[in-house]
Amino acid sequence: FLVSPLDMCVWNYQHSQGCHADFDCRQMVVHQSPNKRGSDTNECMKKTQTQSRSVGCSNCCNNGKQWGSCFSDVEAFAAQFGDRVGKFAIVLSTLDGLALPFLPHVESLRRFTKNALGQVDLLLIMNRTQASWLEDEHKEALAAKNVTLHVVDWATPKDMLEPPRSCGHPFFIKLHALGFEGYDSILYYDTHVEAHGDLSPLLRCAASSGRFLSTGGGTGE
């Protein structure tokens, strides 16, 4: 894959740090955090209406050697997919996020992929142990929101040294998303993200370009 870093402030917003001081929250397509406003009165929150986009951050993308501009040709590559009817997936994962209401933002992800021109499956990855903790309310939510549960045997790869829980299991379980077959492209987000704008260009861009599109995680990586 050719890895292309995306503008984090637009495609995976995580606090105002790293975004331009005059960043307009209406340019944000996906909001991950925060859930409570801090000292920045201009912090973007969930439930913000999206408008046309511009560059949201500077030096927040890295090509593996140096900081630079982010990949900005999402719409152009999405157009190259043409009028083909595709098959796509939005993949989520959780280890202990079982608080009710369960998967509260799934509807926003589904709503903002309607323009993908094709089938869009919602898949939830869970470790076998944690999946056994699901109660009737969780199972009813999965059925009502048309989310398919995909149970896996490990959250940390076999024979790997056990990392601290906070920086191991929640991240490595995401690797299972790379194993899904039969899709033109797959979009992975954490369960607590809320979509604010059309995600279809990401799906169709990845399908036509063969690129691995990724944002930073907000920690300067």
Side-chain angles (χ1 to χ4, degrees):
F1 292 104
L2 175 62
V3 178
S4 299
L6 296 169
D7 190 319
M8 181 179 65
C9 299
V10 173
W11 295 105
N12 194 24
Y13 183 92
Q14 299 171 61
H15 299 275
S16 57
Q17 182 181 3
C19 301
H20 291 314
D22 60 351
F23 178 71
D24 189 332
C25 294
R26 292 176 296 176
Q27 299 169 7
M28 174 180 61
V29 177
V30 172
H31 183 284
Q32 182 180 125
S33 59
N35 293 323
K36 294 182 179 179
R37 196 180 302 279
S39 59
D40 185 356
T41 58
N42 295 319
E43 185 76 82
C44 298
M45 305 301 292
K46 288 182 169 61
K47 306 298 183 184
T48 302
Q49 183 64 40
T50 300
Q51 66 172 13
S52 59
R53 294 188 293 278
S54 62
V55 176
C57 64
S58 297
N59 295 327
C60 64
C61 291
N62 194 303
N63 63 8
K65 296 181 180 179
Q66 60 186 5
W67 296 101
S69 59
C70 299
F71 179 73
S72 59
D73 294 331
V74 172
E75 283 80 4
F77 277 102
Q80 292 181 15
F81 197 74
D83 58 359
R84 284 180 287 165
V85 176
K87 183 179 181 181
F88 310 102
I90 299 176
V91 179
L92 312 169
S93 68
T94 187
L95 283 173
D96 49 15
L98 301 183
L100 298 173
F102 190 45
L103 304 178
H105 305 304
V106 162
E107 290 88 348
S108 72
L109 294 171
R110 187 179 295 282
R111 182 169 66 254
F112 284 112
T113 52
K114 287 184 176 180
N115 295 329
L117 298 180
Q119 176 180 331
V120 180
D121 296 337
L122 266 70
L123 311 175
L124 176 65
I125 300 172
M126 290 192 73
N127 182 298
R128 190 171 302 280
T129 299
Q130 280 73 33
S132 69
W133 300 343
L134 293 174
E135 299 182 356
D136 289 342
E137 293 89 343
H138 301 106
K139 296 175 183 178
E140 291 170 1
L142 288 170
K145 298 175 182 180
N146 196 20
V147 177
T148 300
L149 177 63
H150 185 79
V151 179
V152 298
D153 291 324
W154 54 263
T156 303
K158 184 180 179 181
D159 298 328
M160 182 177 181
L161 293 177
E162 189 73 9
R165 180 174 177 80
S166 61
C167 60
H169 306 298
F171 297 99
F172 290 122
I173 195 172
K174 302 175 184 181
L175 293 174
H176 288 285
L178 298 175
F180 290 109
E181 299 180 346
Y183 292 101
D184 292 294
S185 65
I186 290 172
L187 178 61
Y188 177 89
Y189 274 116
D190 291 332
T191 55
H192 54 278
V193 306
E194 179 182 75
H196 290 232
D198 191 8
L199 293 168
S200 302
L202 284 182
L203 290 168
R204 298 175 71 80
C205 172
S208 67
S209 68
R211 292 171 180 263
F212 186 101
L213 304 174
S214 176
T215 69
T219 58
E221 74 278 25

